[in-house]
Amino acid sequence: MSDTGSSPVKGSLLIITLLRDGVPVVFTASGRSMRPFVRDGDRLTVDPAAVAGLSRGDIGLYCYGEENLVAHRCLGPLQPPRGPGFRFRGDAVIGPVEILSRGQILGKVTGLTRDGRNIPLESAWRRLGVRLWLAGYPLREAARPARQGAARLAALVRRYFQRGTRSR
């Protein structure tokens, strides 16, 4: 789940090697790109990619750069004529999708543990929550400029009042 540009997951080269050799792995997620469904510190179980079984709503693991592991949500397969591959995006990410070929995907997240509790990824309620979250993306994207504008306005108001208290 590592955010783009963040430090690599500890042991990421070993994880990449194990997954490419067909060995399932468990590692600790870091970053905020998959909130609210995956949190910083969650333990993710990843099975080597059975890419044929990867579908919309699943979490796939891939490598960004040489050793930055990224676990993001699969938005579905690419439509022809773009060729075989998938579209991915982090749940908390507003912006363009990541386009990946089948060969770039290292595995599928099949388990999630938070605070010692296993969180089922395949339950009907979890799947419904993911579908609703994905369906709401256009609304979150449209609201982004308003949130940014409100933050800028709040900063201007704070600066205005800070200057006013200094001159008194």
Side-chain angles (χ1 to χ4, degrees), residues 81-99:
R82 296 191 88 174
F86 294 91
R87 298 174 300 124
F88 284 86
R89 182 186 299 132
D91 288 344
V93 175
I94 302 292
V97 298
E98 297 127 5
I99 306 292

mmCIF file of all heavy atoms in Angstrom, residues 81-99:
data_model
loop_
_atom_site.group_PDB
_atom_site.id
_atom_site.type_symbol
_atom_site.label_atom_id
_atom_site.label_comp_id
_atom_site.label_asym_id
_atom_site.label_seq_id
_atom_site.Cartn_x
_atom_site.Cartn_y
_atom_site.Cartn_z
ATOM 1 N N PRO A 81 -8.978 -1.519 -27.522
ATOM 2 C CA PRO A 81 -7.768 -2.136 -28.068
ATOM 3 C C PRO A 81 -6.533 -1.957 -27.186
ATOM 4 O O PRO A 81 -5.428 -2.152 -27.647
ATOM 5 C CB PRO A 81 -7.594 -1.392 -29.385
ATOM 6 C CG PRO A 81 -8.062 -0.006 -29.073
ATOM 7 C CD PRO A 81 -9.194 -0.185 -28.084
ATOM 8 N N ARG A 82 -6.698 -1.557 -25.917
ATOM 9 C CA ARG A 82 -5.533 -1.286 -25.065
ATOM 10 C C ARG A 82 -4.754 -2.534 -24.713
ATOM 11 O O ARG A 82 -3.665 -2.446 -24.184
ATOM 12 C CB ARG A 82 -5.967 -0.560 -23.810
ATOM 13 C CG ARG A 82 -6.534 0.818 -24.154
ATOM 14 C CD ARG A 82 -6.713 1.623 -22.963
ATOM 15 N NE ARG A 82 -5.460 2.328 -22.706
ATOM 16 C CZ ARG A 82 -5.332 3.224 -21.760
ATOM 17 N NH1 ARG A 82 -6.347 3.520 -20.998
ATOM 18 N NH2 ARG A 82 -4.186 3.837 -21.564
ATOM 19 N N GLY A 83 -5.306 -3.709 -24.943
ATOM 20 C CA GLY A 83 -4.579 -4.945 -24.708
ATOM 21 C C GLY A 83 -4.862 -5.537 -23.342
ATOM 22 O O GLY A 83 -5.619 -4.990 -22.556
ATOM 23 N N PRO A 84 -4.226 -6.686 -23.044
ATOM 24 C CA PRO A 84 -4.455 -7.350 -21.766
ATOM 25 C C PRO A 84 -3.807 -6.561 -20.630
ATOM 26 O O PRO A 84 -2.676 -6.102 -20.740
ATOM 27 C CB PRO A 84 -3.813 -8.719 -21.949
ATOM 28 C CG PRO A 84 -2.765 -8.504 -22.993
ATOM 29 C CD PRO A 84 -3.277 -7.405 -23.882
ATOM 30 N N GLY A 85 -4.524 -6.383 -19.576
ATOM 31 C CA GLY A 85 -4.005 -5.661 -18.425
ATOM 32 C C GLY A 85 -5.147 -5.198 -17.541
ATOM 33 O O GLY A 85 -6.308 -5.551 -17.761
ATOM 34 N N PHE A 86 -4.787 -4.406 -16.529
ATOM 35 C CA PHE A 86 -5.767 -3.969 -15.543
ATOM 36 C C PHE A 86 -5.560 -2.508 -15.176
ATOM 37 O O PHE A 86 -4.478 -1.962 -15.332
ATOM 38 C CB PHE A 86 -5.647 -4.815 -14.270
ATOM 39 C CG PHE A 86 -6.025 -6.246 -14.468
ATOM 40 C CD1 PHE A 86 -5.076 -7.184 -14.823
ATOM 41 C CD2 PHE A 86 -7.332 -6.656 -14.306
ATOM 42 C CE1 PHE A 86 -5.416 -8.507 -15.008
ATOM 43 C CE2 PHE A 86 -7.695 -7.978 -14.486
ATOM 44 C CZ PHE A 86 -6.724 -8.904 -14.839
ATOM 45 N N ARG A 87 -6.628 -1.913 -14.638
ATOM 46 C CA ARG A 87 -6.579 -0.546 -14.114
ATOM 47 C C ARG A 87 -6.611 -0.634 -12.592
ATOM 48 O O ARG A 87 -7.393 -1.391 -12.024
ATOM 49 C CB ARG A 87 -7.790 0.256 -14.608
ATOM 50 C CG ARG A 87 -7.841 0.393 -16.107
ATOM 51 C CD ARG A 87 -9.120 1.063 -16.613
ATOM 52 N NE ARG A 87 -10.293 0.302 -16.221
ATOM 53 C CZ ARG A 87 -11.331 0.806 -15.518
ATOM 54 N NH1 ARG A 87 -11.355 2.065 -15.168
ATOM 55 N NH2 ARG A 87 -12.350 0.047 -15.189
ATOM 56 N N PHE A 88 -5.756 0.170 -11.927
ATOM 57 C CA PHE A 88 -5.674 0.183 -10.463
ATOM 58 C C PHE A 88 -5.697 1.614 -9.946
ATOM 59 O O PHE A 88 -5.263 2.541 -10.624
ATOM 60 C CB PHE A 88 -4.364 -0.461 -9.990
ATOM 61 C CG PHE A 88 -4.348 -1.955 -10.062
ATOM 62 C CD1 PHE A 88 -3.994 -2.600 -11.224
ATOM 63 C CD2 PHE A 88 -4.699 -2.708 -8.961
ATOM 64 C CE1 PHE A 88 -3.981 -3.978 -11.302
ATOM 65 C CE2 PHE A 88 -4.684 -4.091 -9.015
ATOM 66 C CZ PHE A 88 -4.327 -4.725 -10.193
ATOM 67 N N ARG A 89 -6.178 1.771 -8.706
ATOM 68 C CA ARG A 89 -6.111 3.063 -8.018
ATOM 69 C C ARG A 89 -6.268 2.786 -6.518
ATOM 70 O O ARG A 89 -7.023 1.908 -6.114
ATOM 71 C CB ARG A 89 -7.228 3.997 -8.477
ATOM 72 C CG ARG A 89 -7.139 5.365 -7.791
ATOM 73 C CD ARG A 89 -8.290 6.307 -8.084
ATOM 74 N NE ARG A 89 -8.394 6.624 -9.495
ATOM 75 C CZ ARG A 89 -9.544 6.566 -10.169
ATOM 76 N NH1 ARG A 89 -10.650 6.208 -9.604
ATOM 77 N NH2 ARG A 89 -9.569 6.878 -11.439
ATOM 78 N N GLY A 90 -5.579 3.586 -5.717
ATOM 79 C CA GLY A 90 -5.750 3.498 -4.273
ATOM 80 C C GLY A 90 -7.118 4.036 -3.872
ATOM 81 O O GLY A 90 -7.646 4.947 -4.503
ATOM 82 N N ASP A 91 -7.714 3.475 -2.828
ATOM 83 C CA ASP A 91 -9.047 3.893 -2.395
ATOM 84 C C ASP A 91 -9.087 5.367 -2.000
ATOM 85 O O ASP A 91 -10.099 6.032 -2.176
ATOM 86 C CB ASP A 91 -9.522 3.039 -1.219
ATOM 87 C CG ASP A 91 -9.886 1.621 -1.644
ATOM 88 O OD1 ASP A 91 -10.069 1.387 -2.854
ATOM 89 O OD2 ASP A 91 -9.989 0.754 -0.758
ATOM 90 N N ALA A 92 -8.000 5.886 -1.443
ATOM 91 C CA ALA A 92 -7.973 7.279 -0.992
ATOM 92 C C ALA A 92 -7.348 8.213 -2.017
ATOM 93 O O ALA A 92 -7.190 9.394 -1.761
ATOM 94 C CB ALA A 92 -7.207 7.382 0.327
ATOM 95 N N VAL A 93 -7.004 7.691 -3.181
ATOM 96 C CA VAL A 93 -6.308 8.475 -4.196
ATOM 97 C C VAL A 93 -7.321 9.135 -5.133
ATOM 98 O O VAL A 93 -8.225 8.480 -5.645
ATOM 99 C CB VAL A 93 -5.342 7.586 -5.015
ATOM 100 C CG1 VAL A 93 -4.716 8.365 -6.152
ATOM 101 C CG2 VAL A 93 -4.275 7.002 -4.109
ATOM 102 N N ILE A 94 -7.169 10.431 -5.319
ATOM 103 C CA ILE A 94 -7.953 11.146 -6.322
ATOM 104 C C ILE A 94 -6.963 11.466 -7.441
ATOM 105 O O ILE A 94 -5.978 12.152 -7.233
ATOM 106 C CB ILE A 94 -8.538 12.458 -5.751
ATOM 107 C CG1 ILE A 94 -9.421 12.191 -4.540
ATOM 108 C CG2 ILE A 94 -9.274 13.222 -6.838
ATOM 109 C CD1 ILE A 94 -10.704 11.470 -4.823
ATOM 110 N N GLY A 95 -7.204 10.951 -8.597
ATOM 111 C CA GLY A 95 -6.285 11.195 -9.702
ATOM 112 C C GLY A 95 -6.353 10.083 -10.719
ATOM 113 O O GLY A 95 -7.267 9.261 -10.692
ATOM 114 N N PRO A 96 -5.374 10.052 -11.603
ATOM 115 C CA PRO A 96 -5.414 9.079 -12.690
ATOM 116 C C PRO A 96 -5.240 7.647 -12.200
ATOM 117 O O PRO A 96 -4.689 7.404 -11.127
ATOM 118 C CB PRO A 96 -4.245 9.494 -13.589
ATOM 119 C CG PRO A 96 -3.328 10.241 -12.699
ATOM 120 C CD PRO A 96 -4.191 10.895 -11.652
ATOM 121 N N VAL A 97 -5.717 6.718 -13.002
ATOM 122 C CA VAL A 97 -5.563 5.304 -12.675
ATOM 123 C C VAL A 97 -4.181 4.834 -13.113
ATOM 124 O O VAL A 97 -3.534 5.460 -13.951
ATOM 125 C CB VAL A 97 -6.651 4.435 -13.345
ATOM 126 C CG1 VAL A 97 -8.025 4.824 -12.860
ATOM 127 C CG2 VAL A 97 -6.553 4.492 -14.844
ATOM 128 N N GLU A 98 -3.735 3.736 -12.520
ATOM 129 C CA GLU A 98 -2.488 3.107 -12.924
ATOM 130 C C GLU A 98 -2.842 1.988 -13.888
ATOM 131 O O GLU A 98 -3.729 1.182 -13.616
ATOM 132 C CB GLU A 98 -1.761 2.548 -11.690
ATOM 133 C CG GLU A 98 -1.353 3.637 -10.710
ATOM 134 C CD GLU A 98 -1.842 3.367 -9.287
ATOM 135 O OE1 GLU A 98 -2.413 2.302 -9.030
ATOM 136 O OE2 GLU A 98 -1.660 4.249 -8.453
ATOM 137 N N ILE A 99 -2.184 1.957 -15.019
ATOM 138 C CA ILE A 99 -2.421 0.930 -16.032
ATOM 139 C C ILE A 99 -1.285 -0.082 -15.923
ATOM 140 O O ILE A 99 -0.115 0.284 -16.036
ATOM 141 C CB ILE A 99 -2.447 1.527 -17.457
ATOM 142 C CG1 ILE A 99 -3.453 2.677 -17.549
ATOM 143 C CG2 ILE A 99 -2.683 0.451 -18.493
ATOM 144 C CD1 ILE A 99 -4.891 2.274 -17.430
#
